[in-house]
Amino acid sequence: MAGPVIFERIALIGLGLIAGSMGLRIQQDGLAREVVGTSRSAPTREAAEALGLCHRITATAAEAVRDADLVVLCVPIGAMEAVAREIAPHLKPGAVVSDVGSVKRAVIEAVQPHLPEGTHFVPAHPLAGTEHSGPHAGFPELFENRWCLLTPVTTDADAIDRVTRLWQALGSNVEAMDPDHHDRVLAVTSHAPHLIAYTMVGVADDLRRVTDSEVIKYSAAGFRDFTRIAASDPVMWRDVFLNNREATLEILGRFTEELFALQRAIRTGDGEMLHDYFTRTRAIRRGIIEAGQDTAAPDFGRGKPR
Amino acid sequence: MAGPVIFERIALIGLGLIAGSMGLRIQQDGLAREVVGTSRSAPTREAAEALGLCHRITATAAEAVRDADLVVLCVPIGAMEAVAREIAPHLKPGAVVSDVGSVKRAVIEAVQPHLPEGTHFVPAHPLAGTEHSGPHAGFPELFENRWCLLTPVTTDADAIDRVTRLWQALGSNVEAMDPDHHDRVLAVTSHAPHLIAYTMVGVADDLRRVTDSEVIKYSAAGFRDFTRIAASDPVMWRDVFLNNREATLEILGRFTEELFALQRAIRTGDGEMLHDYFTRTRAIRRGIIEAGQDTAAPDFGRGKPR
């Protein structure tokens, strides 16, 4: 039987929440003999060193990827191309390259052209995160019971298999998907909801200046969830929207249409329309609970877990 | 020193999540010698009886309020006027009347005209709830560390004081507020966010039919929170929107304006605008955590509690 080691050496480029969590878990479970990490930011490298996120921290990406069997790009999407360009000449022949970006088509277009022949690109998107970011935010259980979606560019079965096994070992359920389809599904389930939460919290913040601190003080269920979503990393999310532009704008267009219909129902006092709509949306929640997608998020504090 | 009894007899009209939680806690801590409850629905009355939500369940509201020192209207806002009309002739002289509605001006207008002279109306709004509703959803800790906002109509200091003490004994922090101001603040912190969550989940539900079950399967952080919000009681929320129409529509108007500005930034690739906006919204979350409003809702499953 094979041991736990899936890649001899793994390099993590960028040391935020995702890379930090990967590094801790890979070391904890011995999924690689060595994890090397790097970040452009010196304070981030120092923090990662102090936190023990990797076995070794290097000053440059070129050093980090040397002899690495797997290189994972954990930088904001807007930085992917520059990093790919920088590491390309230093990649080990046959190395597997992956990433953790929330948009897949744009990452493939930014990275793939720079990769030397003989390397294997297996883009990945772990559906995991918190509102915290940076090296201090990492913890080894982040990916537990989460999905990780792969959109392989390479056709090398061994490369795909090993990236799959790595994410499974990190605790995730892995599925492969077409990159454009991925971007459309995530526009609905993640990107549009984030923009909406950002918007609502922005409106409240404007009003807060008028109503003193009451908006914060009495932030009720609902809004509190929005503020958590809208506290996510600004750079990461800027890049998500700029790089999944069409799908996000399409969903936002549909959202606005529906919102106007509900606003009209409120204005005209159409209680039946509102009631029917709210009854329908209730059902989708049950679907999520039945699909086991909320098992890791009991409603502590918001209700009795049941 | 006074004992725990704040009202000799309390009547709860309507036996959903809020009344059920009140009844359980009042009995548990002996805050009244007797809690009587009623519901128009026979199955709800039977469930409440079986669950022991009250000492006694009556078939009619008229019976329930007989000799009650405090009557709490726990029905959807649209039912408040009919209930007030029904109980008015049976209220004990000097009785205190309260409610738990999420909108205060409309409840005052619906209820106050029917109350006999000598009774004291102290409207209340506990900022507590879950996506579950009905008598089975109640639990005694629901109000723990939550706000309860009072918008007193009576000037009777003793009535206000006793309602205040009751909510404090239920675990809440109590503050008094002007009813119109309450409705404006809640439009921002609760009503508009709920409508937005309902809308987004409705859009996803439409798309689900196209994309099979993937929208549910891969529902990521963000969207999962929206589905919980959008699973709230449809009747209650229909009545909230119909009864806080102007303030909610005003906030939604501002929301749409901001959303359009962000959409334009995405379309034109204005990363600086997006980044600045997302940085600003991040700060409001810190304000909420510092204000201690999220202490009861650690982010289990969404991140490492810290």
Side-chain angles (χ1 to χ4, degrees):
Chain A
M1 187 184 152
V5 172
I6 299 168
F7 292 95
E8 289 291 314
R9 182 178 291 175
I10 297 178
L12 304 174
I13 314 300
L15 290 166
L17 166 67
I18 300 290
S21 301
M22 291 179 76
L24 290 170
R25 181 65 171 259
I26 289 167
Q27 291 180 80
Q28 179 188 292
D29 291 357
L31 306 176
R33 294 207 200 283
E34 191 178 42
V35 198
V36 186
T38 190
S39 165
R40 276 200 330 188
S41 144
T44 298
R45 291 197 301 270
E46 282 156 28
E49 187 90 59
L51 292 159
L53 300 186
C54 298
H55 292 110
R56 188 157 57 88
I57 304 291
T58 66
T60 68
E63 288 172 75
V65 305
R66 188 165 305 144
D67 290 324
D69 304 283
L70 171 69
V71 175
V72 189
L73 311 181
C74 306
V75 297
I77 293 163
M80 292 279 181
E81 179 158 21
V83 170
R85 199 188 295 268
E86 182 183 348
I87 62 170
H90 307 283
L91 288 171
K92 178 177 171 177
V96 180
V97 177
S98 188
D99 77 302
V100 296
S102 305
V103 179
K104 301 282 37 124
R105 174 56 63 195
V107 169
I108 291 170
E109 284 175 5
V111 171
Q112 177 64 15
H114 300 287
L115 298 183
E117 206 152 330
T119 57
H120 307 289
F121 191 26
V122 187
H125 178 202
L127 304 192
T130 74
E131 81 260 33
H132 306 292
S133 48
H136 293 92
F139 58 102
E141 303 82 16
L142 177 61
F143 310 108
E144 206 69 66
N145 290 316
R146 299 296 177 187
W147 286 101
C148 182
L149 303 177
L150 305 186
T151 61
V153 174
T154 182
T155 52
D156 186 278
D158 181 60
I160 299 170
D161 177 61
R162 288 203 289 164
V163 173
T164 301
R165 283 193 288 129
L166 176 66
W167 281 103
Q168 287 170 340
L170 292 169
S172 296
N173 303 308
V174 181
E175 295 221 352
M177 198 182 263
D178 168 78
D180 295 313
H181 187 70
H182 167 278
D183 291 356
R184 282 195 300 272
V185 170
L186 269 289
V188 184
T189 60
S190 175
H191 306 168
H194 267 80
L195 195 78
I196 287 161
Y198 276 121
T199 308
M200 187 63 229
V201 174
V203 169
D205 187 41
D206 284 347
L207 294 169
R208 181 171 62 122
R209 291 172 197 156
V210 183
T211 61
D212 198 13
S213 65
E214 283 178 316
V215 167
I216 284 182
K217 190 167 169 185
Y218 304 121
S219 79
F223 186 66
R224 255 201 322 268
D225 293 323
F226 280 44
T227 64
R228 186 176 49 239
I229 301 167
S232 306
D233 185 26
V235 173
M236 174 195 149
W237 281 98
R238 175 199 67 194
D239 286 0
V240 166
F241 297 123
L242 295 179
N243 288 284
N244 198 19
R245 204 178 290 208
E246 279 173 40
T248 305
L249 289 175
E250 194 199 315
I251 300 302
L252 291 174
R254 296 193 62 147
F255 170 83
T256 310
E257 262 178 46
E258 298 263 321
L259 184 62
F260 285 172
L262 286 164
Q263 277 179 264
R264 192 178 316 113
I266 293 174
R267 202 181 298 280
T268 62
D270 186 349
E272 200 178 325
M273 188 277 196
L274 295 173
H275 182 263
D276 291 351
Y277 200 96
F278 302 163
T279 303
R280 185 163 68 87
T281 57
R282 195 173 218 190
I284 203 169
R285 173 75 184 165
R286 301 217 174 101
I288 285 176
I289 290 169
E290 280 159 22
Q293 284 304 292
D294 206 50
T295 48
D299 299 332
F300 284 110
R302 265 177 294 271
K304 189 185 189 179
R306 53 190 56 234
Chain B
M1 185 182 154
V5 171
I6 300 168
F7 291 95
E8 289 290 315
R9 181 177 292 175
I10 296 177
L12 303 174
I13 314 300
L15 290 167
L17 166 66
I18 300 289
S21 300
M22 291 179 74
L24 289 170
R25 180 67 171 257
I26 290 166
Q27 290 180 78
Q28 179 188 294
D29 291 358
L31 307 176
R33 292 204 200 285
E34 191 177 43
V35 198
V36 186
T38 189
S39 165
R40 276 201 329 188
S41 145
T44 299
R45 292 196 301 271
E46 281 155 29
E49 187 91 57
L51 292 159
L53 300 185
C54 299
H55 293 110
R56 188 156 57 86
I57 303 291
T58 66
T60 67
E63 285 172 76
V65 306
R66 188 167 303 142
D67 289 323
D69 304 284
L70 171 69
V71 175
V72 189
L73 310 181
C74 306
V75 296
I77 293 164
M80 292 281 183
E81 179 157 22
V83 170
R85 200 189 294 269
E86 182 183 348
I87 63 170
H90 308 281
L91 289 171
K92 179 176 171 178
V96 179
V97 177
S98 188
D99 77 304
V100 296
S102 305
V103 179
K104 301 293 17 144
R105 173 57 63 197
V107 169
I108 291 170
E109 284 175 4
V111 171
Q112 177 64 14
H114 301 286
L115 299 182
E117 205 151 334
T119 57
H120 307 289
F121 190 27
V122 186
H125 177 202
L127 304 192
T130 75
E131 80 260 34
H132 305 291
S133 50
H136 293 92
F139 57 104
E141 303 81 16
L142 177 62
F143 310 108
E144 206 69 64
N145 289 317
R146 299 296 176 186
W147 286 101
C148 183
L149 303 177
L150 305 185
T151 61
V153 174
T154 182
T155 53
D156 186 278
D158 181 60
I160 298 170
D161 176 61
R162 286 204 290 166
V163 173
T164 301
R165 282 193 288 129
L166 176 66
W167 281 103
Q168 287 169 339
L170 292 169
S172 297
N173 302 308
V174 181
E175 294 222 354
M177 198 181 264
D178 168 79
D180 295 313
H181 187 69
H182 166 279
D183 291 355
R184 281 195 301 271
V185 170
L186 269 288
V188 184
T189 61
S190 174
H191 305 168
H194 268 80
L195 195 77
I196 286 162
Y198 276 122
T199 307
M200 187 64 229
V201 175
V203 169
D205 187 40
D206 283 347
L207 295 170
R208 181 170 62 120
R209 291 172 199 157
V210 183
T211 62
D212 199 12
S213 64
E214 285 179 314
V215 166
I216 285 181
K217 189 168 171 187
Y218 304 121
S219 78
F223 187 67
R224 256 202 319 271
D225 293 324
F226 280 45
T227 64
R228 185 174 50 239
I229 301 168
S232 306
D233 185 27
V235 173
M236 175 193 149
W237 281 98
R238 175 198 67 194
D239 287 1
V240 165
F241 297 123
L242 295 179
N243 288 283
N244 198 18
R245 202 177 294 209
E246 280 173 41
T248 305
L249 290 175
E250 194 198 316
I251 300 301
L252 291 173
R254 296 192 62 148
F255 170 84
T256 309
E257 261 177 49
E258 299 263 322
L259 184 62
F260 285 172
L262 286 164
Q263 278 179 262
R264 192 177 314 113
I266 293 174
R267 203 182 297 280
T268 62
D270 187 350
E272 198 179 326
M273 188 275 194
L274 295 173
H275 182 264
D276 290 352
Y277 200 96
F278 302 163
T279 303
R280 186 163 68 86
T281 56
R282 194 172 218 191
I284 204 169
R285 174 75 185 166
R286 302 216 173 100
I288 285 175
I289 290 169
E290 280 159 22
Q293 283 304 288
D294 206 50
T295 48
D299 299 332
F300 283 110
R302 262 175 298 270
K304 188 184 188 178
R306 47 192 61 233

